[in-house]
mmCIF file of all heavy atoms in Angstrom:
data_model
loop_
_atom_site.group_PDB
_atom_site.id
_atom_site.type_symbol
_atom_site.label_atom_id
_atom_site.label_comp_id
_atom_site.label_asym_id
_atom_site.label_seq_id
_atom_site.Cartn_x
_atom_site.Cartn_y
_atom_site.Cartn_z
ATOM 1 N N ARG A 28 82.173 67.543 98.497
ATOM 2 C CA ARG A 28 83.161 66.471 98.668
ATOM 3 C C ARG A 28 83.338 65.758 97.326
ATOM 4 O O ARG A 28 82.355 65.501 96.608
ATOM 5 C CB ARG A 28 82.696 65.490 99.732
ATOM 6 C CG ARG A 28 82.669 66.076 101.142
ATOM 7 C CD ARG A 28 82.162 65.043 102.113
ATOM 8 N NE ARG A 28 80.822 64.618 101.720
ATOM 9 C CZ ARG A 28 79.732 64.742 102.459
ATOM 10 N NH1 ARG A 28 79.816 65.249 103.670
ATOM 11 N NH2 ARG A 28 78.554 64.326 102.029
ATOM 12 N N VAL A 47 91.905 61.552 97.786
ATOM 13 C CA VAL A 47 91.062 62.671 97.372
ATOM 14 C C VAL A 47 89.573 62.427 97.594
ATOM 15 O O VAL A 47 88.834 63.371 97.884
ATOM 16 C CB VAL A 47 91.315 63.075 95.902
ATOM 17 C CG1 VAL A 47 92.753 63.529 95.700
ATOM 18 C CG2 VAL A 47 90.949 61.979 94.929
ATOM 19 N N LEU A 48 89.117 61.188 97.464
ATOM 20 C CA LEU A 48 87.683 60.926 97.609
ATOM 21 C C LEU A 48 87.210 61.305 99.003
ATOM 22 O O LEU A 48 87.871 61.018 100.004
ATOM 23 C CB LEU A 48 87.356 59.469 97.311
ATOM 24 C CG LEU A 48 87.504 59.042 95.860
ATOM 25 C CD1 LEU A 48 87.073 57.590 95.679
ATOM 26 C CD2 LEU A 48 86.736 59.947 94.912
ATOM 27 N N ARG A 50 87.001 64.319 100.099
ATOM 28 C CA ARG A 50 87.597 65.601 100.501
ATOM 29 C C ARG A 50 87.047 66.743 99.652
ATOM 30 O O ARG A 50 86.688 66.552 98.500
ATOM 31 C CB ARG A 50 89.122 65.569 100.325
ATOM 32 C CG ARG A 50 89.781 64.430 101.040
ATOM 33 C CD ARG A 50 90.800 64.720 102.091
ATOM 34 N NE ARG A 50 91.395 65.998 102.247
ATOM 35 C CZ ARG A 50 92.699 66.240 102.100
ATOM 36 N NH1 ARG A 50 93.531 65.281 101.731
ATOM 37 N NH2 ARG A 50 93.178 67.432 102.333
ATOM 38 N N PRO A 52 87.856 69.826 97.442
ATOM 39 C CA PRO A 52 89.057 70.239 96.713
ATOM 40 C C PRO A 52 89.673 71.543 97.223
ATOM 41 O O PRO A 52 90.866 71.782 97.029
ATOM 42 C CB PRO A 52 88.585 70.398 95.269
ATOM 43 C CG PRO A 52 87.188 69.988 95.204
ATOM 44 C CD PRO A 52 86.708 69.655 96.571
ATOM 45 N N ALA A 62 89.531 80.596 102.320
ATOM 46 C CA ALA A 62 88.360 81.380 102.740
ATOM 47 C C ALA A 62 87.742 82.099 101.542
ATOM 48 O O ALA A 62 86.518 82.088 101.368
ATOM 49 C CB ALA A 62 88.741 82.375 103.833
ATOM 50 N N MET A 71 78.305 81.934 94.271
ATOM 51 C CA MET A 71 77.954 81.407 92.952
ATOM 52 C C MET A 71 76.949 80.262 93.008
ATOM 53 O O MET A 71 76.404 79.871 91.994
ATOM 54 C CB MET A 71 79.208 80.878 92.229
ATOM 55 C CG MET A 71 80.194 81.949 91.835
ATOM 56 S SD MET A 71 79.529 82.983 90.534
ATOM 57 C CE MET A 71 79.447 84.563 91.344
ATOM 58 N N ASP A 73 73.804 79.679 93.665
ATOM 59 C CA ASP A 73 72.516 79.770 92.997
ATOM 60 C C ASP A 73 72.500 80.854 91.920
ATOM 61 O O ASP A 73 71.434 81.296 91.512
ATOM 62 C CB ASP A 73 71.417 80.049 94.033
ATOM 63 C CG ASP A 73 71.238 78.869 94.983
ATOM 64 O OD1 ASP A 73 71.184 77.723 94.488
ATOM 65 O OD2 ASP A 73 71.194 79.098 96.199
ATOM 66 N N PRO A 76 75.045 79.493 85.718
ATOM 67 C CA PRO A 76 76.362 78.985 85.284
ATOM 68 C C PRO A 76 77.500 79.823 85.856
ATOM 69 O O PRO A 76 77.477 81.053 85.775
ATOM 70 C CB PRO A 76 76.308 79.102 83.761
ATOM 71 C CG PRO A 76 74.855 79.186 83.430
ATOM 72 C CD PRO A 76 74.187 79.835 84.607
ATOM 73 N N ARG A 82 92.393 79.212 89.854
ATOM 74 C CA ARG A 82 92.774 78.914 91.223
ATOM 75 C C ARG A 82 94.125 78.200 91.217
ATOM 76 O O ARG A 82 94.633 77.814 90.180
ATOM 77 C CB ARG A 82 91.741 77.992 91.894
ATOM 78 C CG ARG A 82 90.358 78.570 92.031
ATOM 79 C CD ARG A 82 90.291 79.493 93.247
ATOM 80 N NE ARG A 82 88.932 79.908 93.517
ATOM 81 C CZ ARG A 82 88.395 81.034 93.067
ATOM 82 N NH1 ARG A 82 89.088 81.840 92.307
ATOM 83 N NH2 ARG A 82 87.156 81.359 93.381
ATOM 84 N N LEU A 84 96.445 75.107 93.530
ATOM 85 C CA LEU A 84 96.426 74.068 94.545
ATOM 86 C C LEU A 84 97.868 73.674 94.837
ATOM 87 O O LEU A 84 98.780 74.036 94.113
ATOM 88 C CB LEU A 84 95.595 72.860 94.095
ATOM 89 C CG LEU A 84 96.008 72.077 92.843
ATOM 90 C CD1 LEU A 84 97.143 71.104 93.115
ATOM 91 C CD2 LEU A 84 94.813 71.301 92.330
ATOM 92 N N ASP A 86 100.085 70.426 95.119
ATOM 93 C CA ASP A 86 100.000 69.007 94.759
ATOM 94 C C ASP A 86 100.623 68.127 95.838
ATOM 95 O O ASP A 86 101.130 68.616 96.855
ATOM 96 C CB ASP A 86 100.578 68.759 93.365
ATOM 97 C CG ASP A 86 102.096 68.903 93.282
ATOM 98 O OD1 ASP A 86 102.793 68.938 94.322
ATOM 99 O OD2 ASP A 86 102.604 68.960 92.147
ATOM 100 N N ALA A 87 100.588 66.839 95.611
ATOM 101 C CA ALA A 87 101.075 65.871 96.599
ATOM 102 C C ALA A 87 102.561 66.039 96.905
ATOM 103 O O ALA A 87 103.036 65.608 97.955
ATOM 104 C CB ALA A 87 100.809 64.450 96.104
ATOM 105 N N SER A 102 71.945 67.552 88.827
ATOM 106 C CA SER A 102 71.338 66.673 89.830
ATOM 107 C C SER A 102 71.533 65.227 89.414
ATOM 108 O O SER A 102 71.565 64.909 88.229
ATOM 109 C CB SER A 102 69.838 66.950 89.943
ATOM 110 O OG SER A 102 69.624 68.270 90.366
ATOM 111 N N PHE A 110 78.179 68.604 91.435
ATOM 112 C CA PHE A 110 79.004 69.604 90.758
ATOM 113 C C PHE A 110 80.035 68.887 89.895
ATOM 114 O O PHE A 110 80.797 68.060 90.398
ATOM 115 C CB PHE A 110 79.725 70.493 91.780
ATOM 116 C CG PHE A 110 78.790 71.169 92.744
ATOM 117 C CD1 PHE A 110 78.608 70.675 94.021
ATOM 118 C CD2 PHE A 110 78.074 72.296 92.361
ATOM 119 C CE1 PHE A 110 77.746 71.289 94.923
ATOM 120 C CE2 PHE A 110 77.205 72.919 93.244
ATOM 121 C CZ PHE A 110 77.049 72.412 94.527
ATOM 122 N N GLN A 115 91.770 72.934 83.647
ATOM 123 C CA GLN A 115 92.825 73.063 82.641
ATOM 124 C C GLN A 115 94.068 73.551 83.368
ATOM 125 O O GLN A 115 94.029 74.577 84.058
ATOM 126 C CB GLN A 115 92.439 74.059 81.557
ATOM 127 C CG GLN A 115 93.538 74.281 80.545
ATOM 128 C CD GLN A 115 93.234 75.414 79.586
ATOM 129 O OE1 GLN A 115 92.307 76.198 79.792
ATOM 130 N NE2 GLN A 115 94.011 75.506 78.537
ATOM 131 N N ASP A 116 95.156 72.838 83.222
ATOM 132 C CA ASP A 116 96.421 73.219 83.852
ATOM 133 C C ASP A 116 96.909 74.532 83.240
ATOM 134 O O ASP A 116 97.135 74.617 82.041
ATOM 135 C CB ASP A 116 97.454 72.107 83.631
ATOM 136 C CG ASP A 116 98.769 72.351 84.355
ATOM 137 O OD1 ASP A 116 98.962 73.438 84.929
ATOM 138 O OD2 ASP A 116 99.620 71.435 84.338
ATOM 139 N N ASP A 128 105.462 90.120 84.315
ATOM 140 C CA ASP A 128 105.206 91.167 85.312
ATOM 141 C C ASP A 128 106.488 91.562 86.030
ATOM 142 O O ASP A 128 106.739 92.746 86.269
ATOM 143 C CB ASP A 128 104.164 90.704 86.336
ATOM 144 C CG ASP A 128 102.772 90.596 85.759
ATOM 145 O OD1 ASP A 128 102.526 91.110 84.643
ATOM 146 O OD2 ASP A 128 101.917 89.966 86.419
ATOM 147 N N PHE A 138 114.650 102.113 84.892
ATOM 148 C CA PHE A 138 114.572 103.252 83.993
ATOM 149 C C PHE A 138 113.696 104.368 84.510
ATOM 150 O O PHE A 138 112.603 104.154 84.985
ATOM 151 C CB PHE A 138 114.008 102.834 82.630
ATOM 152 C CG PHE A 138 114.936 101.947 81.880
ATOM 153 C CD1 PHE A 138 114.702 100.594 81.832
ATOM 154 C CD2 PHE A 138 116.043 102.452 81.251
ATOM 155 C CE1 PHE A 138 115.555 99.763 81.165
ATOM 156 C CE2 PHE A 138 116.905 101.620 80.581
ATOM 157 C CZ PHE A 138 116.661 100.272 80.534
ATOM 158 N N HIS A 142 117.766 112.949 81.864
ATOM 159 C CA HIS A 142 118.886 113.563 81.170
ATOM 160 C C HIS A 142 120.130 112.713 81.389
ATOM 161 O O HIS A 142 120.240 112.018 82.393
ATOM 162 C CB HIS A 142 119.068 114.983 81.749
ATOM 163 C CG HIS A 142 120.063 115.793 81.013
ATOM 164 N ND1 HIS A 142 121.385 115.767 81.310
ATOM 165 C CD2 HIS A 142 119.908 116.626 79.960
ATOM 166 C CE1 HIS A 142 122.031 116.578 80.486
ATOM 167 N NE2 HIS A 142 121.152 117.104 79.662
ATOM 168 N N PHE A 148 125.042 104.194 84.190
ATOM 169 C CA PHE A 148 126.066 103.169 84.036
ATOM 170 C C PHE A 148 127.164 103.390 85.066
ATOM 171 O O PHE A 148 127.306 104.462 85.611
ATOM 172 C CB PHE A 148 126.659 103.177 82.615
ATOM 173 C CG PHE A 148 127.169 104.525 82.173
ATOM 174 C CD1 PHE A 148 128.484 104.906 82.383
ATOM 175 C CD2 PHE A 148 126.334 105.412 81.519
ATOM 176 C CE1 PHE A 148 128.942 106.125 81.978
ATOM 177 C CE2 PHE A 148 126.798 106.646 81.110
ATOM 178 C CZ PHE A 148 128.106 107.012 81.335
#
Side-chain angles (χ1 to χ4, degrees):
R28 292 178 301 240
V47 299
L48 291 183
R50 305 240 346 242
M71 292 291 117
D73 294 314
R82 297 279 188 266
L84 61 80
D86 71 14
S102 298
F110 304 101
Q115 177 188 12
D116 185 353
D128 290 347
F138 292 102
H142 188 273
F148 53 91

